[in-house]
Amino acid sequence: PNAEYSGKITTPREAMAYCRAEFVVLANHGVQEEVHVVSLDSKNRPIGTHRVTVGTLRNSLVHPREVFRPAIADSANSILLVHNHPSGDCCPSDQDLEVTKRLMSSGELIGIPLVDHIVVARGCECSIREFYSL
């Protein structure tokens, strides 16, 4: 068992550990950016994962309606957003930050908060919430 992930996602460390395990193929072999949403229950346990967009080699366009649609269908209490960087660099871009802020605002408005946005790449992952101190 992974000592950093106990079944709940309440910290950036737990979010990154979950994504390291759950999205290892995407991180290591994804050739296009993909955005996935992880629906979480009221105890912050994953109840579903959904691929919401597939982009080009360098970026993916994300709209709140695509992100929150599966969360609403899952009756999620909150969500975790995950996307890959095919370049192998897991440092978040300015665009990643803007998308995160937009989704945080949207989530607050509809009552399904975004707990974190994790970027995965070959051998690394990064919490945007932690990286930018959100």
Side-chain angles (χ1 to χ4, degrees):
N2 189 331
E4 294 178 331
Y5 174 65
S6 63
K8 294 182 182 181
I9 298 173
T10 57
T11 66
R13 180 175 298 255
E14 290 168 338
M16 289 186 292
Y18 172 80
C19 292
R20 183 181 315 121
E22 184 71 23
F23 296 98
V24 66
V25 173
L26 179 64
N28 291 323
H29 303 291
V31 294
Q32 294 179 304
E33 276 199 9
E34 294 185 17
V35 178
H36 294 251
V37 64
V38 180
S39 299
L40 303 172
D41 68 12
S42 60
K43 295 186 180 192
N44 283 19
R45 295 177 302 210
I47 55 176
T49 62
H50 309 273
R51 183 172 67 181
V52 292
T53 64
V54 177
T56 62
L57 182 61
R58 287 195 212 102
N59 57 32
S60 175
L61 299 174
V62 182
H63 192 279
R65 96 179 131 251
E66 281 85 25
V67 170
F68 288 99
R69 182 180 294 128
I72 291 167
D74 286 349
S75 297
N77 186 65
S78 58
I79 61 167
L80 172 66
L81 197 71
V82 184
H83 85 276
N84 65 315
H85 279 179
S87 67
D89 179 2
C90 64
C91 286
S93 67
D94 291 341
Q95 182 184 16
D96 294 338
L97 176 61
E98 291 308 312
V99 164
T100 303
K101 287 179 177 177
R102 184 175 181 203
L103 293 172
M104 287 177 85
S105 295
S106 300
E108 287 174 20
L109 185 66
I110 63 171
I112 302 176
L114 173 66
V115 298
D116 208 336
H117 180 175
I118 305 298
V119 180
V120 297
R122 281 182 289 282
C124 65
E125 56 279 326
C126 182
S127 159
I128 292 179
R129 177 159 277 208
E130 185 176 66
F131 189 86
Y132 288 108
S133 301
L134 297 177

